[in-house]
Amino acid sequence: MSVFAVKGDICYSTSPAKIEALNDGYVIVEAGRISGVTRNPPNISVHDYTGHIVIPGMTDLHTHAPQYPFRGLGMGMELLEWLDTLIFPEEGRYSDTSYAEQVYSSFAEAMRKSPTTRAVIFGTIHAHAANILSAKMESSGLVSYVGKVSMNRNAPDYLTEANPLEAVESWLSDTASYTSTKPILTPRFTPSCTDELMRGLGELRKKYDLPVQSHLSENVSEVQWVKELCPDSRSYADTYDRYGLLEAPSIMAHCVHLTDEEAGLLKERGTFIAHCPQSNMNLSSGIAPVRRYMNMGMNIGLATDVAGGMYISMFRAVADAVGVSKLRSVLAEKEEPLTFEEAFYLATMGGGKFFGLAGSFMPGYEADILVLSATDSRHSNLRERLEREICLAGDDVELSAKYAAGRKLF
Amino acid sequence: MSVFAVKGDICYSTSPAKIEALNDGYVIVEAGRISGVTRNPPNISVHDYTGHIVIPGMTDLHTHAPQYPFRGLGMGMELLEWLDTLIFPEEGRYSDTSYAEQVYSSFAEAMRKSPTTRAVIFGTIHAHAANILSAKMESSGLVSYVGKVSMNRNAPDYLTEANPLEAVESWLSDTASYTSTKPILTPRFTPSCTDELMRGLGELRKKYDLPVQSHLSENVSEVQWVKELCPDSRSYADTYDRYGLLEAPSIMAHCVHLTDEEAGLLKERGTFIAHCPQSNMNLSSGIAPVRRYMNMGMNIGLATDVAGGMYISMFRAVADAVGVSKLRSVLAEKEEPLTFEEAFYLATMGGGKFFGLAGSFMPGYEADILVLSATDSRHSNLRERLEREICLAGDDVELSAKYAAGRKLF
C-alpha cells in the first residue's frame, strides 16, 4: 500500500476529554495505518483538502441492514409492538434473495457515502441474504462485521429456525472469502433464543473464536419479559453471560436499564455497549446512563440502530448522544451531560476499539479518514467549526473524501 | 389574485388527532385562500405535482434572526451563560448595518427555502437592523412578524437602551410600508426589562393595538433569577401579565416550567405558547409539558428558536417534538407522548392560528402550501409517507414548490 498524506484542518480524539485540532496539517498514511500528524509539508504524495476539516472515520457499533427501508415508520410504537407489527414481517421478506439484493445494495451505498468507516451489522435469519449483505459491504470499501441472526422462539414461523446452530455453521463456511467483512454471532435477543440455542452459540464462539452481538436491556417491557422467560437467571445480562456470550469481543446494544450488578458484569467481561440515543428515544426506551458507564471505564461506542434510529449518519448519533444526555441530566439524574468531545470520542475511538486501533490519528491507528465538505471558516476556532459541521449535518451528509483502512473510497 | 389548483398527494390537519390524506387530489386556491380539496379534476389552471406530497405551510412561532450565524455553537452551555458568552456579543454587532444586511439576507433566504411560510421573529435592539430584517422578510415572500427587541437592564452597555420606549415608537413609524411583515412588541425577557419598560410596552400595546412576543419559564436558573428580580410578582408569568403583556395576541416562548397557576393564567389570556423542543434540549432547559397544555386546550405552536435550536427547518421541530415527548413520558411523567398527528398539527394549524386561519386546507384558510420532493411511494400509505418525509428531512430541506398566502415563492 502506498504512502501519502491528507492535508486539511485536522481534528481527532486522543482521549474522551481531548480533541487535538491542527489547522493546515498533514495526516501521514503508510501501509494503511497512520504514522503521524504534522505541520510540516511532507515529501510524499499529498491529497490536498486545504480548508476542509479532516477527522477519523466513525464506527457504527449497531445497525440492522434489513430495517433500512423502515426508517421513519412506526415511530409511534414501543419495541415489542414495533417488532411484531412492522419489523418481523419486513425481515420475513429476506427469504427472497432478489429483495435482499435490492435493499442491501441501497443500504451499502448509503453506508459508503456516510461518515461510517466501520460497522457491526445485523442481517436476518436468512444465510443467503446475509451473504448478499456481506458481499455488498465488501464492495462498499467499509470494514464490517455482518451477522446472520439466530432466533428460534417467540417469532412468527417464518422467522423461527428449526436447526439454528446448523444454520450458523453452514453460513460461516460461506463467509471465508471476504477480507474486510467478517462474521459475527448474532442471537437476536434473549426473548428470541432458547437456552439451548444460547448454549450452542456459546460453543460456536469458542470453536471458531468469533465475536458476538446482541441486544440487552433496551426497554422496560422487554426487561420484564426476560425475567418471566428466564426465572432462573440472575439478570438479563446473565442470560447471555452464563453461555459465555458477554466475553470480549462482544457488543450489547442499548443497555438503557442495566442494574449496577449487570454493569459491573459487562465491565468485567470487557463487553462493548452500543449506545443508540435516537432509537432509545424513538421507541420510548429511555436514555442510557452513559456518564455512569464512562466513569466506570467501560467499553462503549455509538450506534445508529437503524431502523429504531431513523438516521444512517453517525454525525446525527453524535449530536443526539449529547442532546439526550442533557435531558437525562435535567430529568433523571444530576450527572454531567456528555460533552461534544466525549460524544465525538465515542463515535470514533470508543467504537473503533472494537476493531483494534481505529478511530484516531495517533500513530499505529488504521487510516480511516473523513474529509468534510462545505466548512464555514468565518468562525476561526477549529474545534467550534468541527462541532458545528458535525451537529448541523443532516442525514444526507456530503463528504468530500473518505478512506477506510488506508483505502480511498471516494 | 388568480384561481388555480395544486395537484398531488394531499395531507392536512383538521384537528390535533386527525390528518386528512387524499392521494391524487387537488387543493383549490381562490384569491389567496383555500376554497376546497377535491378528487375531481377542476376546470382551472392546475399546478401538477402528481406523486409529490402536498401539505400546508408551517408556522415558526419563535426564532432569532441575529442568532442565525451561531447555530451549533456553544451548545455545551445553559441559557444564562450562553447569552452572556456568545449571544449578547453577537447581537451587539447589529449596530453595524452592513453586518445586519449580510446576515439577514442569508437568514431570509434560508427561511424562503424552508418549510416555514409564517414566522414570528426576534431582531436585536437596533431599529435600523430590525428594518433591514423586515425588508428582507418582505422580499422572501413569507408572512411574518418582526420585533425590535427592548431591553434596559442586566446586559452589556451596548445592548442596554437609555430610552427604550421612544426607540420602539420611532421604529414603529418605519414599519408601515410592509404588507406581509408586521411589527411585534418584543421585551426580551423579564431579566432584561425593568418594570417601567414593561409598563410602557403595555401602554404601547394598547395604543397601537400590537401583538407581543417574549420568553417565559425556559430554564430553572432563569426562573429563580426572576423570583429574585421581582419579589412582589405572584409568578414569572405575572411579571408580564400585570402590564397586560399576556393578552392575546401574544406569544411566550418555552414555558417549560410553568406552575399550574401560570398555565391557567396563560389559558385565560389566550396567550400562545411557542414550544421549542430542540432549544430546550440544547440548553439543558428540560421538556415542556405539551400534553398537559394540549389537554387544557391552550394555544400552542412549534418553533425552531434558532440559535438555541440548531435547525431552521420546522420539519425537524416536528420530529423533535415527538421525540422529546417520548423521553418525557418515560423519565418525567406517565403521560402519553405526542403523536406525529399532534406535532404536525402544532406546526401547521397550532401556530398558524396566531395568524388567523392558516395551516390547514379547510375552506377559508390562507393558501400556504408546501410541495415535498423526492417521495418514496413504495410504502403506499400516504399518512406513513408523510411521517417518513417529514422526519427524515435534514436541516437542508428541499421542497419542489412553496406558496404563502396564495403567492408562489418557487
Side-chain angles (χ1 to χ4, degrees):
Chain A
M1 268 184 173
S2 59
V3 176
F4 61 93
V6 177
K7 184 185 181 201
D9 298 332
I10 297 165
C11 297
Y12 60 101
S13 296
T14 52
S15 76
K18 177 70 181 163
I19 294 176
E20 292 288 342
L22 174 67
N23 279 296
D24 279 320
Y26 300 82
V27 181
I28 314 292
V29 179
E30 290 184 57
R33 290 189 181 262
I34 307 294
S35 64
V37 171
T38 174
R39 227 177 256 287
N40 306 319
N43 193 15
I44 54 177
S45 163
V46 171
H47 302 192
D48 190 344
Y49 294 102
T50 301
H52 294 250
I53 298 177
V54 177
I55 62 173
M58 294 188 168
T59 291
D60 187 346
L61 215 47
H62 179 69
T63 189
H64 294 259
Q67 296 175 16
Y68 181 62
F70 269 73
R71 294 177 309 137
L73 294 178
M75 299 281 87
M77 305 175 191
E78 291 200 24
L79 174 66
L80 301 177
E81 179 191 6
W82 179 74
L83 286 174
D84 284 343
T85 312
L86 277 180
I87 296 305
F88 285 164
E90 173 69 11
E91 291 197 6
R93 299 182 67 179
Y94 289 78
S95 59
D96 172 357
T97 52
S98 71
Y99 186 71
E101 178 81 28
Q102 174 206 325
V103 175
Y104 289 159
S105 288
S106 44
F107 172 78
E109 178 58 15
M111 291 294 270
R112 193 182 72 85
K113 292 192 293 191
S114 81
T116 299
T117 48
R118 289 164 196 262
V120 188
I121 309 171
F122 270 59
T124 60
I125 61 163
H126 311 93
H128 199 82
N131 256 321
I132 293 170
L133 176 56
S134 293
K136 299 292 176 193
M137 290 309 299
E138 184 82 3
S139 305
S140 77
L142 270 67
V143 180
S144 59
Y145 286 94
V146 167
K148 185 208 97 59
V149 172
S150 295
M151 49 201 294
N152 69 343
R153 66 171 174 182
N154 292 318
D157 285 348
Y158 57 81
L159 285 184
T160 305
E161 299 176 286
N163 300 299
L165 296 169
E166 288 167 31
V168 169
E169 289 207 79
S170 152
W171 161 68
L172 284 172
S173 65
D174 293 333
T175 62
S177 59
Y178 307 116
T179 55
S180 305
T181 315
K182 303 216 163 87
I184 182 167
L185 293 176
T186 307
R188 179 172 212 115
F189 69 156
T190 301
S192 303
C193 303
T194 60
D195 280 2
E196 195 187 344
L197 172 51
M198 292 287 202
R199 182 179 300 113
L201 290 172
E203 285 158 8
L204 292 181
R205 184 188 76 77
K206 279 188 278 189
K207 179 173 172 187
Y208 295 102
D209 192 21
L210 287 169
V212 176
Q213 65 178 343
S214 194
H215 300 91
L216 176 60
S217 201
E218 176 175 358
N219 176 285
V220 169
S221 310
E222 169 217 16
V223 172
Q224 183 54 37
W225 193 20
V226 170
K227 258 188 200 147
E228 291 159 18
L229 288 168
C230 307
D232 56 334
S233 277
R234 296 168 57 91
S235 64
Y236 192 168
D238 181 54
T239 65
Y240 298 108
D241 189 56
R242 58 186 170 171
Y243 303 115
L245 297 171
L246 294 184
E247 298 282 344
S250 77
I251 298 169
M252 289 287 141
H254 307 302
C255 299
V256 177
H257 305 284
L258 293 188
T259 63
D260 287 346
E261 186 187 317
E262 285 176 300
L265 181 63
L266 266 66
K267 160 79 176 155
E268 202 180 315
R269 298 287 183 260
T271 316
F272 280 75
I273 292 173
H275 174 44
C276 310
Q278 248 283 317
S279 171
N280 295 337
M281 175 160 76
N282 288 334
L283 297 174
S284 292
S285 302
I287 305 173
V290 176
R291 168 65 59 215
R292 174 151 57 100
Y293 299 153
M294 289 185 77
N295 287 347
M296 290 173 65
M298 298 183 78
N299 285 323
I300 176 164
L302 289 187
T304 61
D305 190 27
V306 164
M310 288 189 267
Y311 309 100
I312 206 162
S313 169
M314 284 294 293
F315 288 180
R316 179 67 188 258
V318 171
D320 286 335
V322 174
V324 302
S325 79
K326 291 175 184 168
L327 293 178
R328 188 178 160 83
S329 78
V330 177
L331 296 174
E333 287 178 41
K334 282 286 160 221
E335 62 195 14
E336 283 297 305
L338 293 191
T339 62
F340 174 77
E341 275 77 2
E342 290 170 323
F344 185 78
Y345 165 88
L346 291 176
T348 53
M349 286 181 74
K353 191 179 172 191
F354 187 76
F355 289 82
L357 288 176
S360 181
F361 290 155
M362 292 185 285
Y365 275 70
E366 297 207 58
D368 295 354
I369 305 172
L370 305 177
V371 180
L372 310 195
S373 48
T375 71
D376 172 1
S377 58
R378 271 185 307 176
H379 306 287
S380 57
N381 177 324
L382 176 53
R383 160 63 184 75
E384 284 183 357
R385 279 170 61 205
L386 174 68
E387 179 170 351
R388 185 185 170 82
E389 291 303 315
I390 298 269
C391 291
L392 292 184
D395 192 37
D396 196 8
V397 175
E398 278 185 32
L399 301 172
S400 294
K402 177 173 176 177
Y403 306 73
R407 186 173 146 207
K408 195 170 197 300
L409 275 57
F410 54 80
Chain B
M1 269 183 172
S2 59
V3 176
F4 61 93
V6 177
K7 183 185 182 203
D9 298 332
I10 297 164
C11 298
Y12 60 101
S13 296
T14 51
S15 76
K18 176 71 181 163
I19 294 177
E20 291 287 342
L22 173 66
N23 279 296
D24 279 320
Y26 300 82
V27 180
I28 314 292
V29 179
E30 289 184 58
R33 291 190 181 262
I34 306 293
S35 64
V37 171
T38 173
R39 227 177 255 287
N40 306 320
N43 194 15
I44 54 178
S45 163
V46 171
H47 302 192
D48 190 345
Y49 294 103
T50 302
H52 294 251
I53 297 176
V54 176
I55 62 174
M58 294 188 170
T59 292
D60 187 347
L61 215 46
H62 178 69
T63 190
H64 295 259
Q67 297 176 15
Y68 180 62
F70 270 72
R71 295 177 309 136
L73 294 179
M75 300 280 90
M77 304 174 191
E78 290 200 25
L79 175 67
L80 301 178
E81 180 191 6
W82 179 74
L83 286 174
D84 285 343
T85 312
L86 278 180
I87 295 305
F88 286 163
E90 173 70 13
E91 291 196 7
R93 301 182 67 178
Y94 289 78
S95 59
D96 173 356
T97 53
S98 70
Y99 187 72
E101 178 80 28
Q102 175 205 324
V103 174
Y104 289 160
S105 288
S106 44
F107 173 77
E109 178 57 15
M111 290 294 271
R112 193 182 72 83
K113 291 192 293 191
S114 81
T116 300
T117 48
R118 290 164 195 262
V120 188
I121 309 171
F122 270 59
T124 61
I125 61 163
H126 311 94
H128 199 81
N131 256 319
I132 293 170
L133 177 55
S134 292
K136 299 291 176 194
M137 289 310 299
E138 185 82 4
S139 305
S140 76
L142 269 68
V143 180
S144 59
Y145 287 95
V146 167
K148 186 208 95 62
V149 172
S150 296
M151 48 200 296
N152 69 343
R153 66 171 174 180
N154 293 318
D157 285 349
Y158 57 81
L159 285 184
T160 305
E161 299 175 285
N163 299 300
L165 295 168
E166 288 167 31
V168 169
E169 287 207 83
S170 153
W171 161 68
L172 284 172
S173 66
D174 292 334
T175 61
S177 60
Y178 306 116
T179 54
S180 305
T181 314
K182 304 216 163 86
I184 182 167
L185 292 176
T186 307
R188 180 174 211 111
F189 67 157
T190 301
S192 303
C193 303
T194 61
D195 280 1
E196 196 187 343
L197 173 51
M198 291 288 202
R199 182 180 299 109
L201 290 172
E203 284 158 8
L204 292 180
R205 184 189 75 79
K206 279 188 280 191
K207 180 172 170 188
Y208 295 101
D209 192 20
L210 288 169
V212 176
Q213 65 178 342
S214 194
H215 300 92
L216 176 60
S217 202
E218 176 174 0
N219 177 284
V220 169
S221 311
E222 168 217 18
V223 171
Q224 183 54 37
W225 193 19
V226 170
K227 258 188 199 147
E228 291 159 17
L229 288 167
C230 308
D232 56 334
S233 275
R234 296 169 56 91
S235 65
Y236 193 168
D238 181 55
T239 65
Y240 298 109
D241 190 56
R242 57 186 172 171
Y243 303 115
L245 297 170
L246 293 185
E247 297 283 343
S250 77
I251 298 169
M252 289 288 142
H254 307 301
C255 299
V256 177
H257 305 285
L258 293 188
T259 63
D260 287 346
E261 187 187 317
E262 286 176 299
L265 181 62
L266 267 65
K267 159 79 178 159
E268 202 179 314
R269 298 288 182 259
T271 315
F272 280 75
I273 292 173
H275 175 43
C276 310
Q278 248 283 316
S279 172
N280 296 337
M281 175 161 75
N282 288 334
L283 297 174
S284 293
S285 301
I287 305 172
V290 177
R291 168 64 59 215
R292 175 151 57 102
Y293 299 153
M294 290 186 77
N295 287 347
M296 290 173 65
M298 297 183 79
N299 285 324
I300 177 163
L302 288 188
T304 61
D305 190 27
V306 164
M310 289 189 266
Y311 309 99
I312 207 164
S313 169
M314 285 293 293
F315 288 179
R316 179 67 188 256
V318 171
D320 286 335
V322 173
V324 301
S325 79
K326 290 175 186 170
L327 293 178
R328 189 177 159 84
S329 78
V330 176
L331 296 174
E333 288 179 40
K334 283 284 158 222
E335 62 195 12
E336 283 297 304
L338 293 190
T339 61
F340 174 77
E341 275 77 1
E342 290 170 324
F344 184 78
Y345 166 89
L346 291 176
T348 54
M349 287 181 73
K353 191 180 172 190
F354 187 77
F355 289 82
L357 288 176
S360 181
F361 290 155
M362 291 185 286
Y365 275 70
E366 296 208 58
D368 295 356
I369 305 172
L370 305 177
V371 181
L372 311 196
S373 48
T375 70
D376 171 1
S377 58
R378 268 185 309 174
H379 305 288
S380 57
N381 178 323
L382 176 53
R383 159 64 185 75
E384 283 183 357
R385 279 170 61 204
L386 173 68
E387 178 170 352
R388 184 184 171 84
E389 292 303 316
I390 298 268
C391 291
L392 292 185
D395 193 36
D396 195 10
V397 175
E398 279 185 31
L399 301 173
S400 294
K402 177 173 175 176
Y403 306 73
R407 185 171 146 210
K408 195 170 196 300
L409 277 58
F410 56 81

